[in-house]
Structure formats: C-alpha cells, structure tokens
Amino acid sequence: MSRSSNSDITTGERGHFRNGDQGMLRFRIPDIVLGATLGITISAMGFFAVGFSLGSSQYPRQSAQTQSAEKPGDPESKNEQQEGFWERSATDPIAIFTLCLVFVGVFQVGLFYVQLRLIRKSLDDAKMAAEAARDGVKVARDEFISMHRPKLRVRNISITQHYAMNHLPKFRESQNLIGQFYISNIGGADATIVESLCFVLPTNRGLPMTYPYEQMPANNPAPRITLRPGKSMQANFGAAPLTQEQAENINNFKNSWRIYVMGWVEYTDALDMNMRWRTAFCRERRQPREGDDPRFYPVKDEPDYEHEE
C-alpha cells in the first residue's frame, strides 16, 4: 500500500461523512422551511379570520344597540348586548372553523420546534460518528505503518589497508583511509535515504560523551535513493591519514589506541513522507584471536552510538 492510497482512504472517509451531513441537510432543510411556513401561514389565517369575524359582527351589534336604545325595555336587545365570543362560537360555524385553524397553527409550530430539535440532535450524533470513524481510520493507518515500516541496517564496514609480510592488514603512516559499508532494508516498506554521515575516529581515550560528529554537516556517503525491502546498497567513505604514532599503535593494539567508524543514515517512510527515521552505527576495529584478521565489530553496550529507530 502506498502513501497515495492511504491518503485516498482518509480523503474518502472524510468526503463520505461530509457528503452525508450535506445530504441530511439537503433533504431536511426544505421540510423545516415548509413546516415553519405552513405553521405561520395557518396561524396568520386563523388570527385574520378571528379578527374579520369579530369585525364583521360589530355592525349588526351596533345596529342592535341602536334599536335597543330606541326600545329600552326590549329583552332581546339585552341578550344580544351580553352575548360574547364564546357564545357566538357555539352558534357561528365560521368562528368554530377559525378557532380550529388557530389550534392547528399552534400545533404545527410546536411540531416544527420538536422536529428542529430532533434534527439538531441527529446532526450532532452524525458528527460524533464521523469523528469516531476518522479517529479509527487514523489509528488503523498508524498501526499499519508501524507494522510495515522500513528499517535500515548498516553492515560489513571495512577500510582498505596494506598487507604486510605476515599477510595481516596494516595501516600506513600518511595513508588516506578509504572504506565502504553496506546498507540493507530489513523492513516491510520502501525507504528513501535523505542524508547520511560517516566519520573515522582514531583515539586512545575511548568514546566521548558527546558524538564527535555532533556539529558536522552530513557528508552523504550513501546516495539519496529509494531502497526497497530486502535490498542492499554500497556506501563509500574516506578519512584523513593516520599519524605514525596512531598507525603503529592501532596496528599492534597497543597503548589503548583504537579506531572507530561511526555515523548515521536518515531516511523517510514511503507511507508517510513526514516521518523520518535514523539508524546510527559505531564499529570498532578488533582482533578476536591471535592470528585472525582484525575486523570492525559493533561497540558493546553503547545504544547512543549504535541503534536503529
């Protein structure tokens, strides 16, 4: 799986939930507008009808009051003066219909409010589900990257030396040190080498507390290439010549003199180009047994100098 495919998955998930929210709003917003419009319209019609009914009833009431003024002893005029809205509603069909319209409008407005709250709650739930799904995709992607990440390892460090009469390799005074090592990708994904450094340290004091190459810029003995899983490549390096004292003591393993080859290789993950990993190495020239050719071995108990991230 490449980085582009992972980004497509993440983008697809985001697009799916985003489009889902938009679709939910697209289908529910017209319902909300329609419900609100209908409720307001019915309520307005009801109140208008009530006002019209009451207004239209004023004229006969005024005429009745005029006639009653002319006939103060008429009992029918007294009943009409005392007749109110609820009494008229019992006998007037228009008033009953108007009252029903008012109740329907109020009910529609309440229903619209309840529907709006339910829609808002459903949108909140959908948002939470989208965020949970996005977090799940990120966790799954990180787990996949951690299980299938690249991992570089440095092997077979050597320095070209002069062979003496006893066929043992020797360092010569003023001899330019030229060496090589191999980088292998033992991980499960492509590794792109970004920078690298190699440094040769002859010393009789052991390894210092801080890296000798701490302030040095990368000299890039390894080319900046992409190394596929299971593949190896060769890197070449050089160093300044040894002095006579250094060469004699290192050749004979005397006076605590030794020579180290150290450095690091920094690379990126093909699945996540923003992630950088570093392999640090430090090898010491040793002779395990008398008569064997000296070789470069990893330093013991020095994780600061020798480690793989």
Side-chain angles (χ1 to χ4, degrees):
M1 182 181 291
S2 62
R3 176 177 179 267
S4 61
S5 64
N6 281 274
S7 61
D8 293 341
I9 293 174
T10 305
T11 305
E13 292 290 340
R14 292 176 180 173
H16 170 72
F17 291 109
R18 183 172 58 250
N19 294 335
D21 294 341
Q22 291 177 352
M24 193 178 302
L25 290 174
R26 182 169 59 251
F27 288 106
R28 290 183 176 178
I29 286 179
D31 296 339
I32 297 173
V33 176
L34 180 60
T37 304
L38 182 61
I40 295 173
T41 302
I42 293 176
S43 301
M45 290 176 60
F47 286 114
F48 176 78
V50 170
F52 179 79
S53 177
L54 293 176
S56 62
S57 63
Q58 295 298 321
Y59 175 75
R61 180 173 296 181
Q62 291 177 358
S63 62
Q65 289 176 355
T66 303
Q67 294 177 0
S68 63
E70 294 175 355
K71 300 178 179 181
D74 191 355
E76 294 182 358
S77 61
K78 293 181 179 180
N79 294 333
E80 289 181 355
Q81 291 178 359
Q82 295 175 357
E83 187 178 3
F85 173 78
W86 295 105
E87 290 78 2
R88 291 182 59 83
S89 299
T91 59
D92 191 353
I94 297 178
I96 295 175
F97 179 74
T98 302
L99 184 61
C100 292
L101 284 180
V102 172
F103 288 152
V104 170
V106 173
F107 174 77
Q108 186 68 26
V109 171
L111 184 63
F112 158 71
Y113 176 74
V114 173
Q115 184 181 16
L116 182 62
R117 292 193 62 181
L118 292 176
I119 291 175
R120 181 177 299 175
K121 184 177 183 301
S122 64
L123 290 178
D124 293 339
D125 295 340
K127 181 179 178 181
M128 293 176 59
E131 292 177 352
R134 184 172 61 249
D135 294 340
V137 170
K138 184 178 182 300
V139 171
R141 180 174 179 271
D142 293 341
E143 290 181 355
F144 180 86
I145 291 176
S146 63
M147 294 176 60
H148 299 82
R149 50 150 294 194
K151 194 172 187 179
L152 297 186
R153 179 167 294 175
V154 175
R155 296 169 169 164
N156 301 334
I157 295 180
S158 63
I159 294 180
T160 302
Q161 301 172 80
H162 171 71
Y163 280 82
M165 295 298 296
N166 57 1
H167 303 289
L168 292 177
K170 299 290 183 180
F171 290 108
R172 284 184 172 179
E173 178 187 355
S174 303
Q175 173 191 356
N176 289 326
L177 300 181
I178 300 175
Q180 65 181 25
F181 59 90
Y182 289 86
I183 303 174
S184 301
N185 185 359
I186 62 173
D190 294 350
T192 301
I193 298 176
V194 179
E195 289 182 322
S196 57
L197 180 142
C198 186
F199 178 73
V200 178
L201 175 67
T203 180
N204 60 351
R205 297 181 179 179
L207 293 173
M209 181 180 299
T210 58
Y211 304 130
Y213 51 78
E214 185 72 28
Q215 303 299 327
M216 294 183 181
N219 52 18
N220 296 317
R224 299 175 179 176
I225 65 172
T226 298
L227 200 59
R228 299 187 62 83
K231 298 298 182 180
S232 300
M233 59 163 293
Q234 178 179 324
N236 301 309
F237 65 92
L242 300 176
T243 64
Q244 180 179 2
E245 178 187 9
Q246 292 172 343
E248 291 180 356
N249 286 284
I250 291 174
N251 287 332
N252 299 313
F253 298 96
K254 293 182 177 180
N255 300 322
S256 301
W257 276 94
R258 64 200 74 181
I259 186 170
Y260 295 95
V261 177
M262 62 184 67
W264 49 263
V265 179
E266 194 168 282
Y267 57 97
T268 60
D269 192 337
L271 299 178
D272 188 357
M273 299 301 292
N274 295 323
M275 179 67 70
R276 284 199 175 191
W277 308 91
R278 173 176 285 200
T279 294
F281 60 93
C282 182
R283 309 297 162 84
E284 177 187 358
R285 181 179 179 270
R286 296 199 303 265
Q287 187 179 25
R289 295 186 301 269
E290 187 70 25
D292 291 345
D293 286 357
R295 293 176 53 193
F296 284 91
Y297 294 90
V299 293
K300 297 181 180 180
D301 302 325
E302 290 291 347
D304 291 336
Y305 280 90
E306 180 86 21
H307 64 265
E308 298 171 354
E309 294 181 348

